[in-house]
Amino acid sequence: MDALSKKIYLILEPPTEEDPRADKQRILDGLPEGIGHVVMGLKAMRSLYPICEKANWRITVSLAWNGSCWEIYRIEPGDTRIRSFGIAADLGSTTVCMRLIDLNTGRVLAQSSAYNRQIAFGEDILTRVFYCKGQPARLEEVRLATIETFREVMDELSQKSGLDLTACGAMVVAGNTTMMHFLLGLDPFSVFASPYAPRASEFGFLRGEELGLPIEGYVYCYPCLANYLGGDIISGMIATGLPEREGISVFLDIGTNGELVVGNRDFLLSGAGAAGPALEGGVVKTGMRAVDGAVSAVRLEEGTFHLTVLGGGTPKGLCGSGIVDLIAQLYLAGYIDLRGKFTQDAPHLVEENGNIGIGYGPGLYFWESDIQAFLNTKAAANTMVEYMLDQIGIPMEQVDRFYVAGAFGTHLDKESAVTIGLYPDMERQRIISAGNSSLEGAQLLLCNKDKLVLLESILGKMEYVQFGAVADFIDRMRAAKAIPHTDMRRYPSVQEKLAKRK
Amino acid sequence: MDALSKKIYLILEPPTEEDPRADKQRILDGLPEGIGHVVMGLKAMRSLYPICEKANWRITVSLAWNGSCWEIYRIEPGDTRIRSFGIAADLGSTTVCMRLIDLNTGRVLAQSSAYNRQIAFGEDILTRVFYCKGQPARLEEVRLATIETFREVMDELSQKSGLDLTACGAMVVAGNTTMMHFLLGLDPFSVFASPYAPRASEFGFLRGEELGLPIEGYVYCYPCLANYLGGDIISGMIATGLPEREGISVFLDIGTNGELVVGNRDFLLSGAGAAGPALEGGVVKTGMRAVDGAVSAVRLEEGTFHLTVLGGGTPKGLCGSGIVDLIAQLYLAGYIDLRGKFTQDAPHLVEENGNIGIGYGPGLYFWESDIQAFLNTKAAANTMVEYMLDQIGIPMEQVDRFYVAGAFGTHLDKESAVTIGLYPDMERQRIISAGNSSLEGAQLLLCNKDKLVLLESILGKMEYVQFGAVADFIDRMRAAKAIPHTDMRRYPSVQEKLAKRK
């Protein structure tokens, strides 16, 4: 383990008249060779007396990496190495998720999450950004809401683990560009307005205290590549190891936005687009978040819908994975055609103001307009991938791994996602659900300081494509809107399934 | 000029959709090549908007050296390079003296000083140290008194110069080991108690804010070599350039304590002893500080005393230089013998409780007990020098320069100091009054970052001798107590003067 914070136990000789070196010097001299430049913070200096004397110079020093060198930030009597921990955080626009990590073993001591209190200023990011526009006092409000959320989650971690997190020497935060701006109190308006230059893309190591976080050590925020390609994606790179492998991978993160990376150890091409909201149930009329009561899976057998409900109670609506399942099942059953229109075979149809819907549960309807919204979104995601691969002249068959990051990808049924053409039709084991790769990457960096070097090389190598600037993007999207795709040859397994059904 | 803080004016291209680099990155990319690793502080990041935009990307960045790299701590619209300044400070136990330095030219913009408010907790250092012993709350009181003194002097500098010192990127402080402990809030008791290991000897670069000082940049405190050999002496080394020259020099600082360095570019031998107080008028009965009313010079012609009084008013007592003058004049006139006893030739003698005194002005007497106290002190200083030179086997004739640092040395008449044997009898132009070399060294380092390298080599090279541990020190001191010395051959010019008088 070469974590961003570490403890070193020292057994030192007490000062004598023959060796009256200063306490601080005695400690620095006692550190292992090759550790490099080490400084000592003022608080630690002030604690030298009486700790060292009382502990008879058997002490544990806590070191935090400050971006340039190690800094001793805490001195404790005796051997306290067993209590060495740090925090990995994923700062999402909806949820803040953290893990308390044992920096001796890399083990997760506790995990906790909370809704981002920024939501009070707008359900979606853009509302929050406009709330702050040209209003420094409001920006401060949103910043404080972010910090309060962090404190809430940290309190929970503390309760779960029984540990005092103040002693933490390192926290790594991953999140998108706007979230980082809010956390640091930087005006985020430019993230969304032409020419899309953020205030900062690399944030460096900042003192927890300076940010308003109750830890003694440093906070490292994952750097962003561009306005829409944030630290959460860069963190996903570290998590998946994509930039270190020979084989070419696709990394797709479908969240509030859709972000994409294609590449391997030689090149990295990235892009982002407004692909996300519909998939999370945000745009869909009867959609909802993946909370209790959400239908997360659907099976259609002989005209009957079998629903899996989160929490096991009464179904209240569809979350993202439920939508994908339902569309796939409707399509395979022949209830919708490749354009997403209900066929004459479809049962339980209703009509409301010219919008046709299907009853998939008691009092629950899924509308043609919902299907269209969703297909637009999946077409966008699909086209982003296709466009990127075209750019580098690599056909999908040569893609070694297809990563799907985010909570959405975690709960999604791969078969259904392939059926509707959201995922490419490739060997299923090469489609990998990367989970919360933003959090995973934060944890990995927290435990491996040398990932900072990899990070630099990723940033140096990665190119960013503005999809808005691509001329034939709309045409391509139109072709990708069909289920699974206008070019059916790309989906042999779906053809096979359809053949079986018939 | 390669100062510890600097300003750089940048004319940058505003962001475009073709070049949407983040504001921070744009600035870092615009810095001159070869500047090395540069970070940006959180406050500066927060100020990027709207400053950069409003100034149409013609901005001035202020950089401070933080010990490891440059840190951008302030961003201003337009070209403000002309206002670039730093502070050099001498933190004395009696007086805090500062200079506001223009970091473009090295010019002194203002100078100011104030009594150290620590005096409220004890006239001498030891009283202050005992006041704090085992009492953290009292240590905090003394620390705050120190900070208050700094703020007072800084306010004066600000008033004199009309500048807002908050913008300062660098302050360099020199002072003895205890003073540094008080400034930083470190318990100083161990400086005076066996085994004499200070809490810290190197303090590094600390944020002004963290110390409680109203500057945005960093404060560098000169490192100490040992408990009694503080940063004020190390600063004196930088000021005089002693460790860079081939010729051997003696550096003697007579203040509250007496500190000594002998050496050249190849070696540095240092030591300290309780040589000082009497010379500053502290021990002497009718002595006083060099303030208005103090007799600073004395000439004795045909039995009549001619006094120079500071401020020109009524004489109230003798300051250090007055004492040296008076003793020299009494000796040359034959009114005291080489043991400092009044002879039968002395006029204006009075007796009080067996103590004989001479009336040197209206209502002013100088006592035999004063002379004895003073001779003890001069013998200590003299012996320290002699001992050091003996250690390295170098006779006084081979000493190239004899530096006398401190306010005492500044006002002292060289001839009188040689006459009484306080200074060696060498060519007068080789006896150099170094003035407030502690402040000078602080100023030099402030303006020359590369002196940090010299500083490291000084600390690595300098050896420290504990005079208390020297066996024949007392014997040597006894010989040195005579005026000018028991071994009269060492003082040919004094012999000459005496011969002339006779």
Side-chain angles (χ1 to χ4, degrees):
Chain A
M1 291 274 297
D2 177 31
L4 287 175
S5 170
K6 59 183 171 188
K7 284 191 164 189
I8 298 175
Y9 177 54
L10 299 172
I11 302 179
L12 301 170
E13 290 297 320
T16 59
E17 290 204 9
E18 288 68 43
D19 173 18
R21 272 173 304 157
D23 297 356
K24 178 185 165 189
Q25 198 57 45
R26 189 170 302 274
I27 288 173
L28 293 181
D29 292 348
L31 293 174
E33 272 189 54
I35 195 169
H37 184 43
V38 179
V39 298
M40 188 182 284
L42 186 58
K43 273 188 190 171
M45 265 196 261
R46 285 180 181 161
S47 77
L48 286 162
Y49 178 81
I51 287 179
C52 297
E53 209 173 290
K54 279 197 178 163
N56 198 28
W57 289 92
R58 286 155 188 263
I59 54 168
T60 303
V61 291
S62 298
L63 288 81
W65 183 254
N66 71 13
S68 305
C69 63
W70 289 107
E71 180 176 320
I72 296 176
Y73 67 94
R74 182 179 261 230
I75 297 163
E76 293 165 311
D79 185 355
T80 68
R81 279 175 298 178
I82 201 162
R83 288 190 302 283
S84 177
F85 38 89
I87 297 170
D90 167 42
L91 170 49
S93 57
T94 306
T95 311
V96 173
C97 189
M98 291 190 189
R99 285 183 192 153
L100 183 65
I101 308 295
D102 183 327
L103 296 184
N104 290 306
T105 62
R107 205 164 58 88
V108 178
L109 297 173
Q111 174 156 346
S112 202
S113 64
Y115 279 117
N116 190 333
R117 295 191 187 192
Q118 290 173 9
I119 295 172
F121 305 99
E123 186 77 21
D124 64 304
I125 289 196
L126 214 49
T127 310
R128 301 176 205 170
V129 169
F130 270 100
Y131 176 75
C132 301
K133 192 190 171 204
Q135 304 262 12
R138 288 182 170 185
L139 176 60
E140 181 63 7
E141 274 184 272
V142 178
R143 185 187 75 80
L144 287 174
T146 318
I147 296 297
E148 277 310 306
T149 315
F150 268 57
R151 286 178 171 265
E152 178 190 339
V153 182
M154 288 169 76
D155 279 350
E156 270 187 41
L157 289 180
S158 180
Q159 276 164 29
K160 283 184 180 177
S161 65
L163 293 167
D164 172 14
L165 303 199
T166 317
C168 270
M171 178 191 272
V172 177
V173 186
N176 69 38
T177 311
T178 307
M179 285 303 116
M180 287 303 124
H181 277 57
F182 279 138
L183 177 66
L184 269 61
L186 309 177
D187 186 281
F189 191 74
S190 65
V191 173
F192 292 91
S194 172
Y196 308 106
R199 301 280 84 104
S201 50
E202 302 194 38
F203 312 96
F205 285 78
L206 298 163
R207 288 178 196 230
E209 197 183 351
E210 204 175 6
L211 287 174
L213 294 174
I215 65 165
E216 287 176 352
Y218 283 83
V219 177
Y220 180 76
C221 297
Y222 254 101
C224 315
L225 184 77
N227 63 329
Y228 293 145
L229 206 109
D232 48 346
I233 304 304
I234 307 296
S235 181
M237 292 298 100
I238 299 288
T240 58
L242 183 155
E244 293 169 284
R245 274 196 305 275
E246 199 183 343
I248 291 166
S249 303
V250 168
F251 177 94
L252 185 63
D253 187 345
I254 306 173
T256 308
N257 230 324
E259 290 109 2
L260 174 71
V261 183
V262 176
N264 67 355
R265 66 186 182 195
D266 297 320
F267 75 95
L268 292 166
L269 211 57
S270 66
L279 303 192
E280 279 197 322
V283 171
V284 171
K285 210 171 165 186
T286 57
M288 63 182 289
R289 281 191 195 140
V291 292
D292 279 2
V295 173
S296 63
V298 180
R299 286 293 164 267
L300 179 52
E301 279 164 15
E302 295 167 13
T304 307
F305 291 97
H306 299 275
L307 310 179
T308 305
V309 183
L310 293 180
T314 314
K316 293 176 189 159
L318 292 158
C319 67
S321 58
I323 294 172
V324 173
D325 260 12
L326 183 52
I327 296 177
Q329 294 288 308
L330 292 174
Y331 177 67
L332 290 176
Y335 294 172
I336 55 173
D337 62 16
L338 54 82
R339 291 167 305 130
K341 303 281 185 191
F342 285 109
T343 63
Q344 52 192 24
D345 297 340
H348 320 299
L349 290 188
V350 292
E351 202 193 312
E352 203 180 88
N353 305 325
N355 196 1
I356 300 168
I358 191 163
Y360 67 92
L364 297 169
Y365 299 94
F366 193 54
W367 306 91
E368 219 170 71
S369 61
D370 288 346
I371 299 174
Q372 295 308 311
F374 191 86
L375 291 180
N376 278 330
T377 298
K378 85 106 185 164
N382 192 295
T383 306
M384 281 178 5
V385 177
E386 185 196 308
Y387 178 79
M388 284 282 195
L389 291 174
D390 270 14
Q391 281 289 304
I392 46 174
I394 285 179
M396 183 60 83
E397 299 86 66
Q398 284 179 29
V399 170
D400 190 43
R401 302 191 190 189
F402 189 89
Y403 290 101
V404 187
F408 177 67
T410 309
H411 299 109
L412 207 60
D413 183 73
K414 278 183 201 174
E415 279 310 318
S416 295
V418 173
T419 299
I420 67 161
L422 176 63
Y423 290 177
D425 194 355
M426 63 200 291
E427 279 176 62
R428 302 303 184 258
Q429 77 268 24
R430 293 199 280 128
I431 299 174
I432 298 157
S433 168
N436 189 345
S437 58
S438 170
L439 183 59
E440 290 289 340
Q443 181 179 341
L444 259 167
L445 178 57
L446 178 70
C447 297
N448 300 279
K449 187 165 77 67
D450 60 354
K451 294 286 181 201
L452 288 169
V453 181
L454 177 59
L455 202 51
E456 279 305 309
S457 89
I458 291 174
L459 290 174
K461 203 153 58 182
M462 193 180 274
E463 286 180 64
Y464 182 64
V465 176
Q466 289 273 13
F467 286 117
V470 178
D472 60 346
F473 200 82
I474 299 297
D475 289 340
R476 285 170 183 261
M477 252 187 74
R478 201 167 289 136
K481 211 186 142 181
I483 307 174
H485 196 277
T486 308
D487 181 5
M488 198 63 174
R489 285 167 303 177
R490 298 185 188 185
Y491 284 84
S493 84
V494 179
Q495 275 183 293
E496 218 171 287
K497 273 183 205 155
L498 286 172
K500 268 188 197 164
R501 292 262 170 164
K502 282 165 190 162
Chain B
M1 290 272 297
D2 177 32
L4 288 175
S5 170
K6 60 182 169 187
K7 283 191 166 189
I8 298 176
Y9 177 54
L10 298 172
I11 302 179
L12 300 170
E13 289 298 319
T16 59
E17 290 205 8
E18 288 67 46
D19 173 17
R21 272 173 303 157
D23 297 356
K24 178 185 165 189
Q25 197 58 43
R26 191 170 300 273
I27 289 172
L28 294 181
D29 291 348
L31 293 174
E33 272 187 55
I35 195 169
H37 185 43
V38 179
V39 297
M40 189 183 283
L42 186 58
K43 274 188 190 172
M45 265 196 261
R46 285 180 181 161
S47 77
L48 285 162
Y49 178 82
I51 287 178
C52 296
E53 210 171 290
K54 281 197 177 163
N56 198 28
W57 289 92
R58 285 154 188 266
I59 53 168
T60 303
V61 292
S62 298
L63 288 81
W65 183 253
N66 71 13
S68 305
C69 64
W70 290 106
E71 180 175 320
I72 297 176
Y73 67 94
R74 182 179 261 230
I75 297 164
E76 293 165 310
D79 185 355
T80 67
R81 280 175 298 179
I82 202 163
R83 289 191 302 283
S84 177
F85 40 88
I87 298 170
D90 167 42
L91 169 49
S93 58
T94 305
T95 310
V96 173
C97 189
M98 291 191 191
R99 284 183 192 154
L100 183 65
I101 307 296
D102 183 328
L103 296 185
N104 291 306
T105 61
R107 204 164 58 89
V108 178
L109 297 173
Q111 173 155 348
S112 202
S113 63
Y115 279 118
N116 191 332
R117 294 190 188 194
Q118 291 172 10
I119 294 170
F121 305 99
E123 187 76 22
D124 63 305
I125 287 195
L126 215 50
T127 310
R128 302 175 205 171
V129 170
F130 270 101
Y131 177 75
C132 301
K133 193 191 171 205
Q135 304 262 12
R138 289 182 169 186
L139 175 59
E140 181 63 6
E141 275 184 273
V142 178
R143 184 186 76 80
L144 287 175
T146 317
I147 296 297
E148 277 310 306
T149 315
F150 268 57
R151 285 178 171 266
E152 177 188 339
V153 182
M154 288 168 75
D155 279 350
E156 270 186 41
L157 289 180
S158 179
Q159 276 164 29
K160 282 184 181 176
S161 64
L163 293 168
D164 172 15
L165 303 200
T166 317
C168 271
M171 178 191 272
V172 176
V173 186
N176 71 35
T177 311
T178 307
M179 284 302 117
M180 288 303 126
H181 277 57
F182 278 138
L183 177 65
L184 268 61
L186 308 177
D187 186 281
F189 191 74
S190 65
V191 173
F192 292 90
S194 173
Y196 308 107
R199 301 278 84 104
S201 50
E202 302 193 38
F203 312 96
F205 286 79
L206 298 164
R207 288 179 195 229
E209 198 183 350
E210 202 174 9
L211 287 175
L213 294 174
I215 66 165
E216 287 176 353
Y218 283 83
V219 177
Y220 180 76
C221 296
Y222 255 101
C224 316
L225 184 79
N227 63 331
Y228 292 146
L229 205 107
D232 49 345
I233 304 305
I234 306 296
S235 182
M237 293 297 102
I238 298 287
T240 57
L242 182 155
E244 295 168 282
R245 275 198 305 276
E246 198 182 344
I248 291 168
S249 303
V250 169
F251 177 95
L252 185 62
D253 187 346
I254 306 172
T256 309
N257 228 324
E259 291 108 2
L260 175 71
V261 182
V262 176
N264 67 356
R265 66 185 182 196
D266 297 319
F267 76 95
L268 293 166
L269 211 58
S270 67
L279 302 193
E280 279 197 321
V283 171
V284 171
K285 208 172 168 185
T286 58
M288 62 183 287
R289 283 194 194 136
V291 292
D292 278 3
V295 173
S296 62
V298 180
R299 287 291 162 270
L300 180 52
E301 278 164 16
E302 293 169 15
T304 307
F305 291 96
H306 300 276
L307 309 181
T308 304
V309 183
L310 293 181
T314 314
K316 292 175 188 160
L318 292 158
C319 68
S321 59
I323 294 172
V324 173
D325 260 12
L326 183 51
I327 296 177
Q329 294 289 307
L330 292 175
Y331 177 67
L332 290 176
Y335 293 172
I336 55 174
D337 62 19
L338 55 83
R339 293 168 301 131
K341 303 279 185 190
F342 286 110
T343 62
Q344 55 194 22
D345 297 340
H348 320 300
L349 289 188
V350 293
E351 201 192 312
E352 201 179 270
N353 305 325
N355 195 1
I356 301 168
I358 191 164
Y360 67 93
L364 296 170
Y365 298 93
F366 192 56
W367 305 92
E368 218 171 71
S369 61
D370 289 344
I371 299 174
Q372 295 308 311
F374 190 87
L375 292 181
N376 277 330
T377 297
K378 85 106 184 166
N382 192 296
T383 306
M384 280 179 5
V385 177
E386 185 196 309
Y387 177 80
M388 283 283 194
L389 291 173
D390 270 15
Q391 280 291 303
I392 46 175
I394 286 179
M396 183 61 83
E397 299 87 66
Q398 284 178 29
V399 170
D400 189 45
R401 302 191 189 189
F402 189 88
Y403 290 101
V404 188
F408 176 68
T410 309
H411 300 111
L412 207 60
D413 183 74
K414 277 182 201 174
E415 278 311 318
S416 295
V418 174
T419 300
I420 68 162
L422 175 63
Y423 291 177
D425 194 354
M426 65 199 291
E427 279 174 63
R428 301 304 183 258
Q429 76 268 25
R430 294 200 280 126
I431 300 175
I432 299 159
S433 168
N436 188 344
S437 58
S438 170
L439 183 60
E440 291 288 342
Q443 180 178 342
L444 259 168
L445 179 57
L446 178 70
C447 297
N448 301 278
K449 187 165 77 67
D450 60 354
K451 294 287 181 201
L452 287 169
V453 180
L454 176 60
L455 202 51
E456 279 305 308
S457 89
I458 291 174
L459 290 174
K461 202 152 60 181
M462 194 181 272
E463 287 180 62
Y464 183 64
V465 175
Q466 289 275 15
F467 286 118
V470 178
D472 60 345
F473 199 82
I474 299 297
D475 288 343
R476 285 168 181 260
M477 252 186 72
R478 203 166 289 136
K481 211 186 142 180
I483 307 174
H485 195 278
T486 308
D487 180 6
M488 199 61 174
R489 285 167 305 177
R490 298 184 188 189
Y491 284 84
S493 83
V494 181
Q495 275 183 295
E496 218 169 286
K497 275 182 204 155
L498 286 171
K500 270 186 195 163
R501 293 261 168 166
K502 279 165 189 165

